[in-house]
Amino acid sequence: MSDTNEKKLIFSGIQPTGTFTLGNYIGAIRNWGPLQDEYNCIYSIVDLHAITVRQEPAKLRQNTLQAYALILACGIDPEKSTAFIQSHNHNHAELSWILSCSTQFGELSRMTQFKDKSAKHADDINAGLFTYPVLMAADILAYNADLVPIGADQKQHLELARNIAGRFNQKYGEFFTMPEPFIPKTGARVMSLQDPSKKMSKSDENPNACVLILDDKDTIIRKFKRAVTDSEAEVCYREGKDGINNLMTIYSAVTGKSLEEITSEFSGKGYGDFKLAVGEAVADHLEPVRSKYEKLIADKAYLKECYTAGAEAASKITRKTLSKVYRKIGFVDIR
Ligand code: ATP
Ligand code: LTN
């Protein structure tokens, strides 16, 4: 048996709904690259998910290419991993239909992301927004993924994917692998810089609430300087200090320093010094990503070559899954 077959399989996805935030980066994508040697990794730009909220077609196309270039800039090596655009592999949508017949209306109604997004897009509570977690389950189960690297906000969706897999296995016999979440210890939930009780999100209307990974150094420093904190002047991680806790988490994630080390580094110093240090550390950390991105986005032919090969490799795996699923369900074989 080849080495490749012994490795566990990882799948994750990210929506092309805008430039990635520092939250997406720390909570998800930056963890993807280091997994490539130890696991078989499959990463997708999930454009089918993105259209659950209204998208302007030209902008979606641009965001999808940008997102693809960004994951490569963040360290995904298309020679080591399979990196593709979700709509290029039709098997995801097909399996999603099958799995929706093993999903209960009640369990979808309990999804907090559905509640949040339907409150935010009250004029367009479409069926796709409701069934979104079934498509996410299909993304994962189509590859029989063992591990799914995600931020903490996606844990509920992953639990649902496990329930759907379990129900299918119970009905038709053991088939799908039970996927496990892979959530980072530091930075699993990066909060908004303007309202630290809310998660940092690409779709936030307030541009000062989130740092984008393509923001330049001055912009990053300015956003951190304006970050909402408390009226004390003590840099320490404590309940009730959500703003400072968030900045400490971010600083720890980009410098590797522990919370204790950060507390002693800034003891006797004010929030101004601390915010500036966080801004500088984040900007320096993101600089190589930004310059790699600039090169990649200028080379559309290379990107096309990568996502075409990625889609072929991905489809090859999922075609097999789907034909086994069809047989299990009792569909008539055409061959
Ligand atoms: P949108 O605002 O369009 O809903 P989003 O910013 O929430 O998008 P997604 O594409 O839904 O981003 O998420 C991609 C990955 O980033 C997921 O694994 C998700 O858990 C992670 N993630 C998103 N926001 C954060 C955050 N604030 N902190 C940590 N991880 C996050
Ligand atoms: N639902 C996720 C994005 C996503 C995903 C996936 C993540 C779609 N399919 C499969 C991991 C595995 C989100 O909104 N962040």
Side-chain angles (χ1 to χ4, degrees):
M1 196 153 61
S2 77
D3 170 48
T4 341
N5 292 334
E6 286 160 15
K7 289 181 179 173
K8 286 199 168 186
L9 198 138
I10 283 198
F11 182 92
S12 199
I14 186 158
Q15 301 186 69
T17 38
T19 304
F20 300 161
T21 68
L22 187 62
N24 299 134
Y25 178 76
I26 295 176
I29 333 165
R30 78 148 177 179
N31 309 307
W32 294 2
L35 298 166
Q36 295 175 112
D37 292 319
E38 211 181 317
Y39 300 92
N40 276 330
C41 296
I42 304 177
Y43 296 120
S44 184
I45 303 303
V46 291
D47 51 353
L48 296 174
H49 280 88
I51 60 164
T52 55
V53 301
R54 204 165 284 135
Q55 302 289 337
E56 209 254 292
K59 189 82 190 137
L60 177 64
R61 197 167 290 120
Q62 191 189 342
N63 280 340
T64 303
L65 279 178
Q66 182 193 68
Y68 191 85
L70 269 175
I71 62 167
L72 301 195
C74 289
I76 306 306
D77 176 352
E79 300 281 325
K80 288 187 188 165
S81 299
T82 297
F84 73 104
I85 296 169
Q86 187 187 28
S87 61
H88 291 168
N89 181 358
H90 300 183
N91 300 146
H92 290 236
E94 221 173 309
L95 182 60
S96 177
W97 173 255
I98 307 287
L99 296 180
S100 71
C101 301
S102 287
T103 309
Q104 299 301 303
F105 180 87
E107 55 190 352
L108 288 175
S109 313
R110 287 193 287 276
M111 294 295 111
T112 55
Q113 184 172 299
F114 171 69
K115 291 183 202 163
D116 292 349
K117 290 211 172 176
S118 44
K120 212 162 154 190
H121 304 275
D123 60 332
D124 185 20
I125 307 177
N126 61 77
L129 194 62
F130 188 66
T131 58
Y132 170 117
V134 185
L135 180 59
M136 177 163 163
D139 297 341
I140 298 165
L141 300 178
Y143 300 88
N144 276 308
D146 298 287
L147 285 175
V148 185
I150 40 171
D153 62 304
Q154 293 301 313
K155 195 164 174 250
Q156 193 187 32
H157 286 165
L158 194 86
E159 270 157 21
L160 179 63
R162 289 168 58 88
N163 290 342
I164 296 173
R167 206 166 295 129
F168 183 97
N169 288 352
Q170 214 169 29
K171 274 203 237 173
Y172 300 108
E174 279 307 307
F175 179 68
F176 287 122
T177 305
M178 278 296 161
E180 299 283 343
F182 192 89
I183 300 173
K185 286 203 178 69
T186 306
R189 189 182 288 273
V190 175
M191 310 311 279
S192 154
L193 297 186
Q194 291 298 310
D195 176 359
S197 66
K198 271 185 6 195
K199 79 158 193 155
M200 186 181 280
S201 165
K202 311 188 200 87
S203 41
D204 203 309
E205 278 117 43
N206 182 348
N208 288 322
C210 59
V211 169
L212 304 180
I213 66 177
L214 296 178
D215 278 344
D216 60 35
K217 188 164 185 167
D218 289 349
T219 309
I220 294 177
I221 290 176
R222 181 169 37 79
K223 287 181 179 176
F224 277 108
K225 275 190 182 158
R226 291 188 185 162
V228 169
T229 48
D230 50 65
S231 54
E232 297 171 12
E234 197 188 350
V235 178
C236 69
Y237 198 98
R238 198 189 312 131
E239 217 187 302
K241 288 173 75 77
D242 292 354
I244 288 295
N245 294 349
N246 188 37
L247 296 185
M248 287 180 77
T249 303
I250 294 171
Y251 192 61
S252 168
V254 297
T255 60
K257 293 177 185 167
S258 68
L259 297 177
E260 294 75 37
E261 283 169 326
I262 299 170
T263 306
S264 59
E265 184 179 347
F266 292 95
S267 106
K269 293 188 186 151
Y271 285 172
D273 290 339
F274 178 51
K275 287 178 179 179
L276 180 64
V278 181
E280 281 181 340
V282 168
D284 292 347
H285 187 89
L286 292 177
E287 173 49 34
V289 173
R290 208 150 61 92
S291 61
K292 201 163 170 209
Y293 168 80
E294 296 302 340
K295 285 198 196 94
L296 285 160
I297 202 67
D299 194 349
K300 299 281 188 306
Y302 173 70
L303 291 178
K304 189 169 186 183
E305 205 180 288
C306 294
Y307 63 68
T308 306
E312 278 163 11
S315 305
K316 202 170 153 194
I317 303 173
T318 54
R319 259 200 307 274
K320 285 192 195 136
T321 309
L322 212 58
S323 69
K324 286 184 194 154
V325 164
Y326 275 21
R327 215 164 304 137
K328 278 192 161 288
I329 290 180
F331 291 166
V332 173
D333 204 337
I334 197 171
R335 272 153 292 132

